[in-house]
Amino acid sequence: LKKQLMTLIQELIKHFVLGIVSVLICSIAMAEINQTKDFIKAIEEVRKEYPEESIESKIPSSFIATVAATETGNFQFKGAPTAKSANNYFGMHATGDQQSLTTTGGAKLRSFDDSKGSIRAFMQLIANDERYTDAVNAIDRGPEEMFKGMSVYAENPNYTNLLGNVYKNRIQPIFQTENFLMPKRKPIVEQMDSLK
């Protein structure tokens, strides 16, 4: 009986510890999801600053969020304290007299007051730099087609595939969940018509 009681206590302790580990893992995952959602909210706010017909306002939020998540290691900035201090979510280098911070390796990264400044600069880069014409021309076909025009953005020869993986595994599920949880409401006139 004593041995059975000890075995039962050990099993309870094991389940308790597994429960604590599960809660910690879920908390970490939720924190990362919340960071991504906060960043997406900032993107949406910046997009509203541009006229509807502008290229900047047409760039999908999921595209912008995917590039930022890729460049920051899912918004964690591990091994990139200068980029984090500079609010540089896109690994953009400074040119001319742009505000910048210098990395320990000597690279001059553009520095921004907040994430929205970084988002604006990235949107303007995509909209106005000829190197991203293929990405802009694919706007109507969605983020995955736009990624094909981003091969010049990074030195990584596999960058397009990397963007696609981050999109499918990290960003797209958040957008799908948000769309499922927050269905679009029809205007009241359409709601009333359906009641007739």
Side-chain angles (χ1 to χ4, degrees):
L1 181 64
K2 191 174 181 181
K3 188 174 182 179
Q4 288 175 332
L5 184 59
M6 285 302 294
T7 303
L8 181 60
I9 290 172
Q10 287 175 338
E11 283 296 313
L12 286 172
I13 290 171
K14 183 170 82 174
H15 288 290
F16 180 72
V17 170
L18 286 175
I20 290 173
V21 169
S22 297
V23 167
L24 288 174
I25 290 171
C26 286
S27 296
I28 291 167
M30 288 305 295
E32 286 183 5
I33 289 170
N34 288 334
Q35 284 177 312
T36 305
K37 286 181 179 181
D38 289 344
F39 193 78
I40 291 168
K41 182 179 176 187
I43 294 168
E44 293 297 330
E45 290 171 5
V46 170
R47 287 180 68 203
K48 291 177 184 175
E49 297 172 6
Y50 295 91
E52 279 185 47
E53 65 279 354
S54 70
I55 293 172
E56 290 89 348
S57 71
K58 293 178 183 178
I59 299 171
S61 297
S62 55
F63 171 82
I64 298 166
T66 299
V67 175
T70 302
E71 293 294 327
T72 61
N74 204 33
F75 304 101
Q76 300 303 303
F77 291 98
K78 288 182 182 163
T82 306
K84 185 174 185 174
S85 296
N87 289 308
N88 190 327
Y89 287 79
F90 301 94
M92 297 172 67
H93 290 266
T95 57
D97 61 351
Q98 292 174 334
Q99 189 178 350
S100 67
L101 291 178
T102 305
T103 66
T104 54
K108 285 177 57 178
L109 291 181
R110 279 191 70 180
S111 180
F112 303 96
D113 294 333
D114 56 21
S115 62
K116 289 182 180 181
S118 185
I119 293 165
R120 276 184 211 98
F122 178 73
M123 291 169 72
Q124 291 165 0
L125 175 72
I126 298 301
N128 300 310
D129 191 316
E130 290 178 5
R131 294 177 295 171
Y132 305 107
T133 301
D134 289 343
V136 170
N137 290 338
I139 283 176
D140 294 334
R141 296 191 307 269
E144 291 178 285
E145 286 299 314
M146 290 181 71
F147 298 149
K148 294 175 185 176
M150 294 298 289
S151 60
V152 297
Y153 193 77
E155 294 175 11
N156 182 343
N158 200 28
Y159 192 65
T160 300
N161 291 334
L162 181 59
L163 289 172
N165 288 334
V166 170
Y167 175 70
K168 287 177 189 166
N169 296 319
R170 298 247 182 212
I171 303 302
Q172 188 178 37
I174 290 172
F175 275 89
Q176 289 172 336
T177 302
E178 287 299 304
N179 290 338
F180 178 73
L181 295 176
M182 304 297 250
K184 304 278 188 235
R185 289 190 177 178
K186 292 181 181 177
I188 191 72
V189 175
E190 287 182 34
Q191 291 180 35
M192 295 305 288
D193 286 344
S194 66
L195 293 175
K196 292 179 184 177

